[in-house]
């Protein structure tokens, strides 16, 4: 990944819509010595997202944009990202689909985490679909974001074994624990590409 950082950390924005447990793990990671990133901005389309509390806790800037008018919100966001010199974007439970135009501006610099072993189970309800198909394994994937949903180049994956009495809830919990470890590893990997 070509980034204009010199010795500084890569200025990163994390986009969320909900509880933000991946955001929290990325912030914690960013404070370690091995982190190539610093989390400078939290963006959400949902003013009630629990994850927004981490902005206050960790003293990080936040921005809420409704995305009701996608074009308007994205253009506003692009200027906010520019002002904050953001170089990389991590989507972490962000429930809006970014337009081609937006993605082009950050090509190769937007990552997403998804709770399945892509290319299997793109989109929503990944746990239930994996259980319904009697999969033996599921897991999580960090991938680059391109214009197609959950379809960009895969950076890293982690397999999780599905146990006998697994439910959607228990599987989600198991996968989330792995997500928190996988996202930082994937960031280190893309930066060293
Ligand atoms: C995670 O399962 C992630 O894979 C998916 O949305 C969920 C976000 O969880 N894209 P959190 O908000 O990070 O806790």
């Amino acid at each position: 990944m070509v980034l204009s950082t010199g010795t500084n950390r890569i200025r990163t924005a994390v986009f969320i819509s909900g509880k933000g447990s991946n955001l929290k793990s990325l912030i914690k990671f960013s404070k370690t010595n091995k982190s190539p990133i610093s989390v400078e901005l939290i963006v959400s389309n949902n003013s009630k997202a629990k994850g927004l509390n981490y902005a206050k806790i960790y003293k990080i800037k936040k921005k809420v944009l409704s995305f009701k008018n996608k074009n308007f919100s994205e253009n506003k966001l692009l200027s906010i990202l520019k002002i904050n010199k953001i170089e990389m974007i991590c989507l972490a439970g962000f429930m809006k689909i970014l337009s081609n135009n937006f993605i082009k501006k950050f090509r190769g610099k937007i990552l997403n985490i998804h709770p399945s072993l892509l290319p299997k189970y793109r989109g929503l309800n990944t746990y239930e679909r994996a259980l319904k198909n009697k999969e033996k394994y599921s897991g999580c994937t960090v991938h680059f974001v391109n214009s197609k949903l959950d379809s960009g180049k895969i950076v890293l994956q982690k397999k999780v074994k599905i146990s006998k009495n697994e439910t959607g809830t228990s599987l989600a919990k198991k996968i989330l624990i792995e997500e928190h470890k996988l996202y930082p590893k994937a960031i280190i990997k893309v930066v060293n590409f």
Side-chain angles (χ1 to χ4, degrees), residues 18-23 92-94 112-115 127 176 179-180:
K19 58 182 194 310
S21 69
N22 277 290
L23 164 66
F94 184 63
N112 181 41
I113 187 150
H114 183 76
Y127 320 107
L176 197 59
E179 289 185 32
H180 297 159

Side-chain angles (χ1 to χ4, degrees), residues 8-47:
N8 297 327
R9 296 191 181 209
I10 298 157
R11 295 177 66 83
T12 301
V14 183
F15 290 14
I16 62 164
S17 299
K19 58 182 194 310
S21 69
N22 277 290
L23 164 66
K24 185 184 177 195
S25 96
L26 289 178
I27 295 171
K28 287 192 149 180
F29 166 64
S30 75
K31 295 182 181 301
T32 64
N33 285 337
K34 59 179 178 213
S35 169
I37 64 159
S38 65
V39 179
E40 301 289 340
L41 183 68
I42 299 167
V43 172
S44 181
N45 63 303
N46 171 14
S47 61

